[in-house]
Amino acid sequence: MAEENTNKENQDLEVQEVAGMATQSQPEVEKQQENPEKFLKEFNWHNYEEGIDPIDDEKLEEFEKLVEENFVDTLDDEVVTGKVINITDRDAIIDINAKSEGVISLNEFRYNPDLKEGDEVEVLIDVREDSTGQLILSHRKARVIKAWERVNKAHDESLVVNGFIKCRTKGGMIVDVFGIEAFLPGSQIDVKPIRDYDAYVGKNMEFKVVKINHEFKNVVVSHKALIEADIEEQKKEIIGQLEKGQVLEGTVKNITSYGVFVDLGGVDGLVHITDLSWSRINHPNEIVELDQKLNVVILDFDESKSRIQLGLKQLSQHPWDALDENLKVGDNVKGKVVVIADYGAFIEVAEGVEGLIHVSEMSWSTHLRSAQDFVNVGDEVEAQILTLDREDRKMSLGIKQLSQDPWTDITTKYPVGSRHKGIVRNFTNFGVFVELEEGIDGLIYISDLSWTKKIKHPSEFTNVGDELEVVVLELDVEGRKLSLGHKQIEDNPWDKYEDDYGVGTKHTAAITEIVDKGATIDFNEDITAFVPQRHLEKEDGSKLKKGEEAEFQIIEFNKEFKRVVASHMAIHKEEEQKIVKQAAKKAAASNNDKTTIGDVNADLQALKDKMEGKE
């Protein structure tokens, strides 16, 4: 029964629709009948064939107006705002008031895990219709386009932007600005040097866009630029109030080997290493630390006040003013070696008070050596005050004064003629300096090194550091001089040689060397004699040669100059003179027989024959 009623209702509705259509089309039929020719002429056969019902122009205009008001013009490069109407497991359905809804993968919303229905998002038409006729949108591309628009606007209008520091990189940091990765140089993080970059990672900060490279899509931002303007104002205010002697509070900004830079609140000043402490220091980090707050005094600045010289030690009393008033020359003091130079060492006897120990005051020795031979930096030493000038703040010290002067009893320890052993310390062209003990040196002249050897330079006889036995020859107490001898430890062998090799003595030896104007012969290890050229002549008139052995007669012996001259010719000339004398004596003895010229010639001929070996 119910089914029959339903069918009946459906039939009634169909009848009503047909009646309505008939009623609606009645005026059109009447128009067609009034002017059939015009109707046929204007009849749209295409619409008839396609089954398209004719629509009034007014309705078409109304429809186009509704489309224009409610649907967007989906241009490829235009970013529009859409609303999330549904979220599936993989996609978000976005309504952009187009003919159909668009789809965006949820991967593009990873940065926004709280995305929900009703949220408005910026999108870009990615694909108008895919293979299924679906409109594909892109939120990521829309974000990039909008981000670059905002970055360019911030750069052009010097706007402040917020950014998230993502990570550290070489030379700076990577910052997320509007979804774009921008570079933040390390020098642009702050006006102060940054020592811990990692402390900024994960922070949100304000920045200014300082540079954009459109070709390579690079963006450079700066946080320092935001605070420089304020600092510049503070700097002008501080500089305008600077005065010498003014004490200001500052923060240690940088430490170098030559000093410390202090931030006075936008203005930097330098405390030179010499103005950090009254004491001598090797590096400023012995006194201050980075980021340490301290008071400093303004010592000087240039006309533009861009270079400010500061002082730290000037805020405390000068150490010389606090030096014990009872301290005087002759007192012994203790201190630490702080500096060593070739000429001496500086000893800090009190904080900021130094005295100089000259190298000559380190030892009684007359041989000046380097100060490093006696002390090292950091050594604790005791010394005696030699001079003290409080007005000029100078003090000289001595170490050797703490021990007895070795020259005090020099005549007792080193009388003339006494024998001792010493160390060769130095050479000169004329002799050797020998140290008998610390502070006692003596000179051995080159002529006092050997009785027999002819020495041109002391290095031919001995070496520095060698031990020599010496005899004290002379002693000058006032002049603090000792004259020593080495050869005097033995008797002079030339005293004996004077008897053995005196003038007229004869000796057999071989020619050692042929030299200019003669030759040399060695009689022993000490005596080398010279034979003049003409005294090399043999009986037959020839000359002796090197290595040839013969008899020689000493014709000159000088012990002082160790000079010996010998002759071979004197040997056979002496024989010749003997024969002549004998012939003359024989002639004088013949009283009865008168000697004739022929007799004399016969005698001379006999002598000549003998010399030539004919007999």
Side-chain angles (χ1 to χ4, degrees), residues 40 45 82 91 172 186 219 222-223 323 361 376 406 435 443 493 502 523:
L40 293 174
W45 292 99
D91 303 316
V219 178
S222 170
H223 177 71
L323 191 64
E361 303 298 339
N376 297 309
E435 184 180 56
L443 174 64
F523 290 126

Side-chain angles (χ1 to χ4, degrees), residues 463-518:
N463 299 307
V464 173
D466 287 353
E467 185 180 68
L468 285 182
E469 192 173 357
V470 296
V471 175
V472 178
L473 303 181
E474 295 180 13
L475 176 60
D476 182 359
V477 178
E478 292 184 2
R480 300 172 76 93
K481 293 181 180 180
L482 270 177
S483 178
L484 306 174
H486 174 67
K487 70 181 184 180
Q488 287 79 4
I489 62 176
E490 297 176 350
D491 294 334
N492 188 354
W494 284 83
D495 291 338
K496 180 182 178 182
Y497 295 152
E498 189 174 18
D499 296 332
D500 295 343
Y501 295 90
V503 174
T505 59
K506 298 177 181 178
H507 309 273
T508 300
I511 299 295
T512 305
E513 195 70 41
I514 301 296
V515 297
D516 292 342
K517 299 181 180 180

Side-chain angles (χ1 to χ4, degrees), residues 174-192:
I174 298 298
V175 181
D176 186 337
V177 179
F178 304 132
I180 295 176
E181 289 189 347
F183 178 62
L184 171 63
S187 60
Q188 296 299 314
I189 297 177
D190 204 336
V191 291
K192 298 182 294 184

Side-chain angles (χ1 to χ4, degrees), residues 12-239:
D12 293 339
L13 288 174
E14 291 176 358
V15 171
Q16 291 176 2
E17 289 179 2
V18 173
M21 292 175 62
T23 305
Q24 185 178 6
S25 60
Q26 186 66 30
E28 294 180 2
V29 174
E30 292 177 354
K31 290 180 181 180
Q32 296 171 7
Q33 293 176 351
E34 290 178 359
N35 193 348
E37 294 181 358
K38 182 179 180 182
F39 171 78
L40 293 174
K41 185 177 181 180
E42 296 178 357
F43 186 76
N44 191 331
W45 292 99
H46 174 74
N47 288 349
Y48 174 76
E49 292 176 355
E50 295 293 331
I52 300 175
D53 294 332
I55 301 175
D56 291 343
D57 292 339
E58 293 180 359
K59 291 183 179 181
L60 286 174
E61 291 177 1
E62 182 180 355
F63 176 77
E64 291 175 355
K65 184 177 180 182
L66 290 173
V67 170
E68 184 177 354
E69 292 177 354
N70 293 281
F71 293 98
V72 299
D73 185 9
T74 55
L75 299 177
D76 293 340
D77 58 350
E78 184 179 356
V79 177
V80 297
T81 301
K83 180 184 290 186
V84 179
I85 61 174
N86 190 21
I87 297 178
T88 68
D89 294 338
R90 298 174 57 186
D91 303 316
I93 310 302
I94 310 297
D95 181 11
I96 60 170
N97 288 331
K99 294 180 180 179
S100 62
E101 288 81 10
V103 177
I104 299 178
S105 173
L106 288 178
N107 288 334
E108 298 191 23
F109 295 98
R110 282 180 296 180
Y111 75 96
N112 184 11
D114 298 328
L115 184 70
K116 60 184 183 300
E117 294 181 5
D119 288 351
E120 291 188 348
V121 294
E122 293 176 334
V123 298
L124 183 75
I125 306 298
D126 198 5
V127 180
R128 291 179 178 274
E129 290 184 3
D130 63 4
S131 59
T132 62
Q134 181 66 57
L135 175 64
I136 305 300
L137 305 177
S138 174
H139 176 61
R140 179 180 57 80
K141 292 181 179 180
R143 286 185 69 211
V144 172
I145 292 174
K146 280 296 183 181
W148 276 103
E149 289 178 358
R150 293 169 185 168
V151 165
N152 282 296
K153 182 179 180 181
H155 177 261
D156 296 339
E157 300 179 9
S158 297
L159 302 178
V160 177
V161 298
N162 288 315
F164 175 76
I165 299 179
K166 298 176 61 176
C167 62
R168 178 180 175 179
T169 188
K170 184 178 180 180
M173 317 290 285
I174 298 298
V175 181
D176 186 337
V177 179
F178 304 132
I180 295 176
E181 289 189 347
F183 178 62
L184 171 63
S187 60
Q188 296 299 314
I189 297 177
D190 204 336
V191 291
K192 298 182 294 184
I194 302 301
R195 289 173 287 279
D196 184 11
Y197 285 83
D198 294 333
Y200 289 85
V201 176
K203 287 187 176 182
N204 287 296
M205 296 177 64
E206 291 185 336
F207 302 96
K208 287 188 70 174
V209 180
V210 295
K211 184 178 180 181
I212 298 177
N213 188 321
H214 293 280
E215 181 180 356
F216 297 102
K217 297 295 183 180
N218 291 334
V219 178
V220 180
V221 296
S222 170
H223 177 71
K224 176 182 176 181
L226 294 176
I227 55 180
E228 278 184 334
D230 295 336
I231 290 178
E232 192 63 30
E233 292 297 325
Q234 296 176 12
K235 186 175 179 180
K236 290 180 181 179
E237 183 178 351
I238 293 173
I239 288 178

